Amino acid sequence: MKELYLMRHSQTLFNQLHRIQGWSDSPLTKQGIEDAQEVGRYFKDQQITFDHAYSSTQERACDTLENITDQPYTRLKGLKEWNFGVFEGQSEQLNPHDDSSRHSYGDFFLQFGGESDLEVQERMNQTLTTIMEQPDHHHVLAVSHGGACFMFLQKWLPYDEIKRQVTNFHNCCILKFTYEDGKFTFIKAINVKEEN
Protein backbone atom coordinates (compact mmCIF):
# COMPACT_ATOMS: atom_id res chain seq x y z
CA MET A 1 0.00 0.00 0.00
CA LYS A 2 1.50 3.32 -1.08
CA GLU A 3 1.21 6.51 1.00
CA LEU A 4 0.78 10.13 -0.10
CA TYR A 5 1.19 13.06 2.25
CA LEU A 6 -0.41 16.02 0.47
CA MET A 7 0.36 19.29 2.22
CA ARG A 8 -0.84 22.86 1.95
CA HIS A 9 2.01 25.40 1.86
CA SER A 10 2.97 27.58 4.85
CA GLN A 11 1.57 31.01 5.65
CA THR A 12 2.44 33.74 3.12
CA LEU A 13 2.22 37.51 3.04
CA PHE A 14 -0.99 37.31 0.94
CA ASN A 15 -2.51 34.88 3.45
CA GLN A 16 -1.78 37.43 6.15
CA LEU A 17 -3.26 40.29 4.08
CA HIS A 18 -6.32 38.20 3.07
CA ARG A 19 -5.57 38.48 -0.63
CA ILE A 20 -6.63 36.01 -3.32
CA GLN A 21 -3.54 34.00 -4.14
CA GLY A 22 -3.92 31.56 -6.98
CA TRP A 23 -1.32 31.62 -9.73
CA SER A 24 0.08 34.86 -8.30
CA ASP A 25 2.65 34.45 -5.55
CA SER A 26 3.93 36.02 -2.36
CA PRO A 27 6.73 35.11 0.05
CA LEU A 28 6.43 33.03 3.19
CA THR A 29 6.14 35.01 6.40
CA LYS A 30 8.51 34.44 9.33
CA GLN A 31 5.69 32.41 10.90
CA GLY A 32 5.34 30.42 7.68
CA ILE A 33 9.04 29.50 7.68
CA GLU A 34 8.91 28.46 11.35
CA ASP A 35 5.76 26.38 10.80
CA ALA A 36 7.34 24.51 7.87
CA GLN A 37 10.43 23.77 9.97
CA GLU A 38 8.14 22.44 12.70
CA VAL A 39 6.57 20.06 10.17
CA GLY A 40 10.09 18.86 9.29
CA ARG A 41 10.76 18.13 12.96
CA TYR A 42 7.42 16.33 13.25
CA PHE A 43 8.25 14.02 10.34
CA LYS A 44 11.66 13.29 11.93
CA ASP A 45 10.16 12.63 15.37
CA GLN A 46 7.52 10.32 13.88
CA GLN A 47 10.20 8.65 11.73
CA ILE A 48 8.21 9.43 8.58
CA THR A 49 10.50 9.44 5.56
CA PHE A 50 9.80 9.93 1.87
CA ASP A 51 11.33 8.20 -1.12
CA HIS A 52 10.17 11.09 -3.35
CA ALA A 53 9.08 14.70 -2.81
CA TYR A 54 7.16 17.03 -5.13
CA SER A 55 6.13 20.65 -5.08
CA SER A 56 3.97 23.00 -7.08
CA THR A 57 6.13 25.25 -9.27
CA GLN A 58 5.04 28.21 -7.17
CA GLU A 59 7.62 29.77 -4.88
CA ARG A 60 5.56 29.51 -1.71
CA ALA A 61 5.21 25.75 -2.12
CA CYS A 62 8.90 25.22 -3.00
CA ASP A 63 10.01 27.35 -0.05
CA THR A 64 7.73 25.38 2.26
CA LEU A 65 9.21 22.08 1.09
CA GLU A 66 12.79 23.37 1.38
CA ASN A 67 12.11 24.35 5.00
CA ILE A 68 10.79 20.85 5.76
CA THR A 69 13.55 18.77 4.20
CA ASP A 70 16.77 19.12 2.25
CA GLN A 71 16.03 16.06 0.11
CA PRO A 72 15.85 16.64 -3.67
CA TYR A 73 12.40 17.24 -5.10
CA THR A 74 10.58 17.73 -8.40
CA ARG A 75 8.51 20.81 -9.27
CA LEU A 76 5.27 20.17 -11.18
CA LYS A 77 2.84 22.66 -12.73
CA GLY A 78 0.02 20.16 -12.15
CA LEU A 79 0.24 20.87 -8.40
CA LYS A 80 -0.28 24.64 -8.81
CA GLU A 81 -3.10 26.50 -7.09
CA TRP A 82 -6.46 27.23 -8.71
CA ASN A 83 -6.16 30.02 -11.31
CA PHE A 84 -8.47 32.86 -10.24
CA GLY A 85 -8.05 34.98 -13.39
CA VAL A 86 -8.45 38.75 -12.95
CA PHE A 87 -9.20 38.24 -9.23
CA GLU A 88 -5.53 37.34 -8.58
CA GLY A 89 -4.03 39.52 -5.85
CA GLN A 90 -7.38 41.14 -4.98
CA SER A 91 -9.08 41.15 -1.58
CA GLU A 92 -10.60 37.83 -0.45
CA GLN A 93 -13.81 39.82 0.16
CA LEU A 94 -14.37 39.62 -3.62
CA ASN A 95 -14.58 35.82 -3.57
CA PRO A 96 -18.02 34.56 -4.64
CA HIS A 97 -20.31 32.48 -2.43
CA ASP A 98 -19.86 28.72 -2.78
CA ASP A 99 -21.90 26.88 -5.38
CA SER A 100 -24.02 24.93 -2.88
CA SER A 101 -24.36 21.86 -5.11
CA ARG A 102 -20.60 21.57 -5.72
CA HIS A 103 -19.34 22.95 -2.37
CA SER A 104 -16.84 25.16 -4.17
CA TYR A 105 -16.63 28.26 -6.38
CA GLY A 106 -17.87 26.14 -9.30
CA ASP A 107 -17.43 27.73 -12.75
CA PHE A 108 -17.37 31.32 -11.41
CA PHE A 109 -13.75 32.14 -12.34
CA LEU A 110 -13.99 30.81 -15.93
CA GLN A 111 -15.61 34.04 -17.12
CA PHE A 112 -12.68 36.00 -15.66
CA GLY A 113 -9.88 33.99 -17.29
CA GLY A 114 -9.47 31.47 -14.47
CA GLU A 115 -10.23 27.78 -13.94
CA SER A 116 -13.36 25.93 -12.86
CA ASP A 117 -13.38 23.72 -9.79
CA LEU A 118 -13.60 20.57 -11.93
CA GLU A 119 -10.62 21.62 -14.07
CA VAL A 120 -8.53 22.06 -10.93
CA GLN A 121 -9.75 18.72 -9.58
CA GLU A 122 -8.95 16.87 -12.81
CA ARG A 123 -5.48 18.46 -13.04
CA MET A 124 -4.62 17.55 -9.44
CA ASN A 125 -5.98 14.03 -9.73
CA GLN A 126 -4.13 13.35 -12.96
CA THR A 127 -0.86 14.72 -11.58
CA LEU A 128 -1.02 12.83 -8.28
CA THR A 129 -2.12 9.59 -9.96
CA THR A 130 0.83 9.81 -12.38
CA ILE A 131 3.15 10.34 -9.41
CA MET A 132 1.80 7.42 -7.38
CA GLU A 133 1.72 5.03 -10.34
CA GLN A 134 5.52 5.11 -10.58
CA PRO A 135 6.87 1.78 -9.30
CA ASP A 136 9.52 3.20 -6.93
CA HIS A 137 7.11 5.68 -5.30
CA HIS A 138 5.90 4.22 -2.00
CA HIS A 139 6.03 7.16 0.46
CA VAL A 140 5.53 10.52 -1.24
CA LEU A 141 5.35 14.10 0.04
CA ALA A 142 3.67 16.67 -2.22
CA VAL A 143 3.32 20.36 -1.32
CA SER A 144 0.45 22.16 -3.04
CA HIS A 145 -2.21 24.77 -2.19
CA GLY A 146 -5.49 25.21 -0.30
CA GLY A 147 -7.95 25.33 -3.20
CA ALA A 148 -6.17 22.65 -5.23
CA CYS A 149 -5.84 20.27 -2.26
CA PHE A 150 -9.48 20.79 -1.29
CA MET A 151 -10.72 19.98 -4.79
CA PHE A 152 -8.58 16.82 -4.85
CA LEU A 153 -9.95 15.82 -1.44
CA GLN A 154 -13.53 16.31 -2.72
CA LYS A 155 -12.88 13.79 -5.48
CA TRP A 156 -12.10 11.04 -2.98
CA LEU A 157 -14.14 11.92 0.11
CA PRO A 158 -17.82 12.95 0.28
CA TYR A 159 -18.36 16.54 1.41
CA ASP A 160 -20.17 15.51 4.61
CA GLU A 161 -17.17 13.38 5.55
CA ILE A 162 -14.77 16.24 4.78
CA LYS A 163 -16.71 18.47 7.18
CA ARG A 164 -16.57 15.75 9.82
CA GLN A 165 -12.95 14.64 9.40
CA VAL A 166 -11.09 17.78 8.28
CA THR A 167 -12.00 20.38 10.88
CA ASN A 168 -8.93 22.56 10.37
CA PHE A 169 -7.52 23.14 6.89
CA HIS A 170 -5.08 25.95 7.66
CA ASN A 171 -1.62 26.48 6.19
CA CYS A 172 0.66 23.45 6.66
CA CYS A 173 -2.28 21.05 7.02
CA ILE A 174 -1.28 17.59 5.75
CA LEU A 175 -3.79 15.24 4.12
CA LYS A 176 -2.69 11.61 4.33
CA PHE A 177 -3.92 9.17 1.69
CA THR A 178 -3.14 5.61 0.72
CA TYR A 179 -3.01 4.66 -2.95
CA GLU A 180 -3.79 1.28 -4.47
CA ASP A 181 -5.22 0.06 -7.80
CA GLY A 182 -5.74 3.58 -9.14
CA LYS A 183 -7.66 4.77 -6.07
CA PHE A 184 -6.82 7.17 -3.26
CA THR A 185 -8.23 6.56 0.21
CA PHE A 186 -8.26 9.41 2.71
CA ILE A 187 -6.74 8.38 6.04
CA LYS A 188 -6.56 11.55 8.15
CA ALA A 189 -5.70 15.24 8.33
CA ILE A 190 -2.59 16.12 10.31
CA ASN A 191 -2.16 19.56 11.88
CA VAL A 192 1.26 19.51 13.48
CA LYS A 193 0.48 22.38 15.90
CA GLU A 194 -2.42 20.34 17.29
CA GLU A 195 -0.33 17.15 17.45
CA ASN A 196 2.46 18.77 19.51
Side-chain angles (χ1 to χ4, degrees):
M1 186 87 69
K2 296 182 171 192
E3 290 182 333
L4 168 68
Y5 287 76
L6 177 62
M7 181 177 162
R8 185 182 175 193
H9 64 79
S10 279
Q11 185 195 68
T12 67
L13 179 63
F14 274 17
N15 290 145
Q16 228 177 19
L17 298 174
H18 302 288
R19 292 194 171 274
I20 295 170
Q21 181 176 228
W23 282 20
S24 60
D25 219 340
S26 72
L28 297 186
T29 60
K30 182 173 180 286
Q31 181 71 53
I33 291 167
E34 289 170 2
D35 288 349
Q37 290 169 346
E38 193 176 349
V39 170
R41 289 191 292 275
Y42 169 82
F43 285 145
K44 250 186 204 154
D45 292 346
Q46 299 296 313
Q47 297 180 318
I48 298 169
T49 57
F50 303 102
D51 43 50
H52 290 84
Y54 289 85
S55 168
S56 149
T57 51
Q58 293 175 273
E59 186 178 280
R60 60 191 185 270
C62 297
D63 287 353
T64 298
L65 185 49
E66 288 172 16
N67 275 286
I68 293 171
T69 177
D70 56 6
Q71 81 178 83
Y73 68 95
T74 304
R75 300 166 74 233
L76 292 175
K77 287 187 178 180
L79 297 175
K80 283 177 75 164
E81 177 60 297
W82 194 323
N83 180 354
F84 297 118
V86 299
F87 283 78
E88 294 282 339
Q90 302 301 312
S91 167
E92 287 177 359
Q93 290 179 329
L94 297 177
N95 273 329
H97 293 296
D98 273 2
D99 175 325
S100 57
S101 63
R102 278 154 63 171
H103 308 292
S104 71
Y105 298 135
D107 294 332
F108 178 83
F109 291 104
L110 280 177
Q111 61 193 315
F112 300 105
E115 291 177 289
S116 75
D117 55 352
L118 298 180
E119 286 174 336
V120 177
Q121 188 177 74
E122 176 57 28
R123 166 167 63 78
M124 283 289 286
N125 191 57
Q126 202 172 5
T127 302
L128 290 166
T129 300
T130 301
I131 288 171
M132 299 308 291
E133 277 295 315
Q134 296 178 72
D136 62 340
H137 285 50
H138 299 284
H139 303 280
V140 175
L141 172 64
V143 180
S144 184
H145 306 265
C149 288
F150 191 73
M151 289 316 306
F152 176 76
L153 182 60
Q154 278 208 57
K155 180 167 181 67
W156 297 104
L157 194 65
Y159 186 69
D160 288 346
E161 281 301 301
I162 293 174
K163 282 200 303 187
R164 197 174 67 77
Q165 295 188 48
V166 186
T167 54
N168 179 346
F169 191 50
H170 294 314
N171 295 102
C172 281
C173 179
I174 303 155
L175 304 173
K176 182 181 177 182
F177 295 85
T178 56
Y179 181 79
E180 192 172 34
D181 299 329
K183 291 184 177 168
F184 289 90
T185 302
F186 177 72
I187 303 301
K188 64 176 178 174
I190 302 165
N191 283 287
V192 170
K193 281 188 179 303
E194 294 171 9
E195 302 265 335
N196 289 340

